[in-house]
Amino acid sequence: MSKEITVKEKELKGDRGGGMGATPHAGGVGFRVWAPHATRVSVIGTFNDWDGAKNPLQAEENGNWFADVPGAKVGDAYKFLLTTEKGELKRIDPYAREVTGSTGDAVVHDPSFDWGDDFHLAPWNELVIYELHVGTFNDQEDDNAAAQFDSIAARLGHLKKLGVNAIQIMPVGEFAGDRSWGYNPAHIFSVELSYGGPLAFKRFVKRAHSQGVAVILDVVYNHLGPNDLDLWQFDGWSENGLGGIYFYNDGRSHTPWGETRPNYGQGEVRQFISDNVFMWLKEYHVDGLRYDCTQFIRSVDGSTENDLPEGWSLLQWLNEQVAQQFPGRITIAEDLQNNSWLTKAVGAGGAGFGSQWDAMFVHPIRQAVITPDDQARSLASVRDAICYRYNDDAFDRVIYSESHDEVANGKARVPQEINPGDPKGWYAQKRSTLAAALVFTAPGIPMLFQGQEFLEGEWFRDTVPLDWDQRDEFCGIVRLYRDLIHLRLNRAGFTRGLCGQFTQVHHLNEEAKVIAFHRWDQGGAGDDVVVVANFFREPQEGYVVGFPAEGIWRLRFNSDWQGYSEAFSDHPSSDAGAETGECDGLPCHATVSLGPYSVLIFSQ
């Protein structure tokens, strides 16, 4: 096998991956491929009648092969023809920016695009993320075809009105078939054709930016495929019957999804992944990347005992490059192992991610609202979920009550979990919105999953589209989410504390099932926010809690308002008059009135 050079040696050489794949120019197209065990390589395509004798590639150093083909042009289909010890192999270009299908041909793609925008991602403490799946988000057809980018763009007005300023899209790399979650990428440089392909994705990103909405893309580097994977034994070489030059060929190959973990110690494979990261940032103008299952990049089996040092150094290298070349863009880890090193700076030995999905929030919050028995709810666990942080930074974590993983694989949407027999009824509405209120008032980057804002039920499947009729049926719940998001982003100028670093849970009553916490940035009027939540099925009258200052505290939000749902009781909660007198460790106190399973938000 080709020499596995050290990580340091490789990265000191810089970006030697430039010019891989097909590079169109005025006189033709340059083709370059890495195939160190091939004895001969040629490019075949529509430009030479698929004749392997016409355009042979010349061997370069490090196992690369190159040819410039005059007359080849954008739109031409092509493949590489490799002569190997296993005979002739026809392979799709690993760097193909466009394919005719996961088992079809590569297509010479023009990377140029008229962007004409100067969009910048919001500060991380002001992000509100909406996770969506392209194939089901706005699938309105009856022909069983997946939805496409253009249909998502038609819903941007809904997301913008909701207050969302960042969309996180589940993976779009070309996969086998037309329906998938996207976590089985056959070609990571090409955009799924059933979604509209690469040009449609670029148009979508441009349109989202024009609406003030960022696009964060989910990427999969912990495994590839495993189906329709042309990279498998790409140039004929392999060991132990495993994947060949792009993969580990020993026990490190194994993942929960197949024997297709990329070889993070191989310089060309590291470059391959790095080039993919920078393609999304440069050519598609995405505003951030969410890395799937990083525990299977940094370790063999997702544990802390079987580290993959070269996987960790790869994450460090990628994040350091992104931070240097694209300051302000965000990288997010899905690791869910409560590992603070993921979001520590590379210089301090960390992986350098901007934020990470937080299991310490989602699991206790979901448990608190789906538990049938009020007395079994643990407010201590809710408190710990609210206060948890990595590296003393509130925005090192992404917090949510629903994500694609949390509403599938044996689990369902939160309303469905609360009451499977009546997922649109009072209990489901009250307790799912109780969870949502905590997502938008606790410290962290809040995220919701598609359809959560209109009580989408059952569980997530890539074959079942969102029921958009529910947006009208539950328009009040949509408004509840919109009001929470507007408060979270301080749109009216009096809840700045929800964008701030600081949190104190000052009241916790396990018997009455009431919790209250104080959020602030700089402190003072227009900044201090007090959140009071009732996790009990009955209202709480004349309830005394601490406040950080005296005077009138305006009620900015009452989740029991009947305008949100006719099923709600419209409990007569009101502004709170705080008086001097220590309570809950704060200098003042006030009496509040709480509806059942409700949240009140106060500020001055």
Side-chain angles (χ1 to χ4, degrees):
M1 185 176 181
S2 60
K3 177 187 175 187
E4 291 197 18
I5 61 179
T6 68
V7 171
K8 195 67 176 176
E9 286 174 332
K10 176 64 183 176
E11 272 129 42
L12 285 174
K13 292 182 180 180
D15 183 6
R16 286 172 44 247
M20 299 299 292
T23 307
H25 56 84
V29 178
F31 294 94
R32 180 174 281 112
V33 65
W34 178 54
H37 299 94
T39 57
R40 183 179 186 276
V41 179
S42 60
V43 60
I44 56 176
T46 51
F47 45 80
N48 63 12
D49 296 323
W50 302 92
D51 186 344
K54 290 185 176 179
N55 296 112
L57 276 64
Q58 301 302 310
E60 299 181 321
E61 63 173 2
N62 302 311
N64 286 339
W65 298 77
F66 176 79
D68 189 71
V69 180
K73 61 187 184 304
V74 168
D76 282 343
Y78 71 99
K79 277 188 172 180
F80 291 115
L81 180 64
L82 282 61
T83 301
T84 76
E85 62 181 16
K86 291 190 175 181
E88 287 194 336
L89 304 174
K90 293 180 180 178
R91 297 299 195 203
I92 301 174
D93 179 5
Y95 278 80
R97 299 300 204 269
E98 186 177 341
V99 294
T100 61
S102 60
T103 58
D105 302 318
V107 176
V108 179
H109 179 71
D110 183 0
S112 63
F113 183 77
D114 180 17
W115 286 99
D117 71 2
D118 188 28
F119 181 83
H120 295 285
L121 184 70
W124 298 355
N125 68 321
E126 297 177 10
L127 279 179
V128 174
I129 298 174
Y130 188 100
E131 188 191 15
L132 64 82
H133 174 254
V134 176
T136 58
F137 180 66
N138 193 26
D139 180 358
Q140 299 294 298
E141 304 298 330
D142 296 323
D143 59 3
N144 201 36
Q148 297 194 337
F149 293 113
D150 289 347
S151 67
I152 302 178
R155 297 291 187 184
L156 282 170
H158 165 78
L159 298 178
K160 185 173 176 63
K161 185 175 182 180
L162 196 61
V164 166
N165 56 22
I167 299 169
Q168 181 179 300
I169 295 181
M170 290 168 66
V172 302
E174 184 73 30
F175 49 73
D178 291 338
R179 292 280 189 177
S180 171
W181 288 25
Y183 297 97
N184 55 332
H187 303 285
I188 63 173
F189 282 83
S190 186
V191 175
E192 173 60 35
L193 281 178
S194 66
Y195 293 167
L199 190 58
F201 187 34
K202 291 176 184 177
R203 287 196 300 259
F204 170 75
V205 174
K206 181 176 180 177
R207 186 166 172 184
H209 286 174
S210 73
Q211 296 289 310
V213 177
V215 177
I216 298 168
L217 182 64
D218 206 335
V219 290
V220 185
Y221 302 130
N222 53 69
H223 74 287
L224 299 175
N227 304 113
D228 294 357
L229 191 59
D230 236 32
L231 290 181
W232 185 261
Q233 299 182 1
F234 183 77
D235 65 358
W237 176 90
S238 69
E239 289 179 343
N240 303 315
L242 292 171
I245 59 173
Y246 279 92
F247 305 96
Y248 287 110
N249 288 266
D250 54 28
R252 294 172 294 178
S253 69
H254 181 71
T255 77
W257 309 278
E259 306 290 330
T260 59
R261 180 182 279 119
N263 184 346
Y264 308 128
Q266 178 69 40
E268 286 78 5
V269 178
R270 293 170 73 89
Q271 192 66 56
F272 178 69
I273 295 172
S274 173
D275 290 343
N276 188 251
V277 165
F278 281 90
M279 178 195 73
W280 298 121
L281 296 170
K282 293 176 181 177
E283 297 179 26
Y284 287 87
H285 285 215
V286 301
D287 304 286
L289 298 170
R290 179 264 194 193
Y291 288 60
D292 179 62
C293 287
T294 54
Q295 71 269 36
F296 290 101
I297 298 176
R298 62 176 179 80
S299 74
V300 175
D301 55 6
S303 72
T304 56
E305 284 78 36
N306 295 301
D307 288 345
L308 271 176
E310 61 267 37
W312 184 261
S313 71
L314 173 66
L315 295 174
Q316 291 180 308
W317 182 46
L318 295 173
N319 285 324
E320 197 167 40
Q321 288 184 93
V322 172
Q324 290 171 356
Q325 298 184 42
F326 292 92
R329 311 266 182 116
I330 191 168
T331 58
I332 300 169
E334 185 218 17
D335 201 89
L336 302 177
Q337 305 295 305
N338 315 318
N339 185 342
S340 63
W341 288 94
L342 284 159
T343 46
K344 282 187 180 180
V346 172
F353 282 99
S355 194
Q356 62 175 303
W357 280 20
D358 187 20
M360 297 297 285
F361 184 89
V362 60
H363 295 154
I365 295 302
R366 279 179 67 98
Q367 190 61 39
V369 298
I370 69 177
T371 297
D373 180 10
D374 287 341
Q375 291 307 319
R377 302 185 207 289
S378 170
L379 292 200
S381 294
V382 172
R383 173 200 61 204
D384 294 345
I386 291 168
C387 295
Y388 196 84
R389 59 176 61 200
Y390 300 92
N391 307 310
D392 203 31
D393 187 339
F395 305 101
D396 264 19
R397 66 177 189 161
V398 176
I399 58 175
Y400 52 93
S401 59
E402 294 194 7
S403 72
H404 71 268
D405 274 332
E406 291 297 331
V407 301
N409 297 321
K411 294 176 283 188
R413 308 298 293 246
V414 170
Q416 191 83 24
E417 294 274 13
I418 291 169
N419 192 345
D422 187 11
K424 311 301 181 190
W426 184 82
Y427 283 99
Q429 290 189 38
K430 289 297 298 181
R431 298 213 299 263
S432 68
T433 55
L434 182 58
L438 292 178
V439 168
F440 290 106
T441 55
I445 298 174
M447 181 181 77
L448 60 160
F449 184 57
Q450 62 177 32
Q452 184 178 342
E453 72 276 22
F454 46 74
L455 299 178
E456 182 75 3
E458 297 188 339
W459 59 94
F460 172 67
R461 287 157 286 175
D462 57 29
T463 55
V464 179
L466 280 186
D467 183 358
W468 281 94
D469 290 341
Q470 289 187 189
R471 182 183 65 163
D472 299 325
E473 182 181 356
F474 298 105
C475 59
I477 300 295
V478 176
R479 181 173 181 179
L480 179 149
Y481 275 83
R482 185 191 71 192
D483 290 351
L484 281 170
I485 292 171
H486 285 208
L487 288 168
R488 170 64 180 79
L489 295 177
N490 192 33
R491 291 283 176 84
F494 42 67
T495 51
R496 177 66 195 172
L498 295 180
C499 299
Q501 282 283 356
F502 304 107
T503 307
Q504 178 189 12
V505 175
H506 60 277
H507 182 94
L508 192 156
N509 186 334
E510 285 283 13
E511 183 177 354
K513 297 303 173 187
V514 175
I515 191 169
F517 55 98
H518 172 208
R519 294 288 315 281
W520 73 100
D521 180 26
Q522 303 297 322
D527 188 299
D528 283 314
V529 176
V530 172
V531 181
V532 188
N534 179 16
F535 280 77
F536 195 65
R537 64 185 175 277
E538 300 292 341
Q540 310 267 5
E541 304 285 359
Y543 197 92
V544 178
V545 294
F547 279 79
E550 65 178 350
I552 299 298
W553 286 77
R554 301 295 182 192
L555 179 63
R556 308 299 185 181
F557 176 84
N558 173 13
S559 68
D560 198 45
W561 179 47
Q562 209 160 43
Y564 295 140
S565 173
E566 292 181 357
F568 294 175
S569 62
D570 212 8
H571 191 79
S573 303
S574 60
D575 296 343
E579 301 175 354
T580 300
E582 193 273 340
C583 180
D584 298 329
L586 296 178
C588 302
H589 65 275
T591 300
V592 301
S593 184
L594 290 148
Y597 297 136
S598 296
V599 172
L600 306 179
I601 301 175
F602 297 95
S603 73
Q604 287 190 309

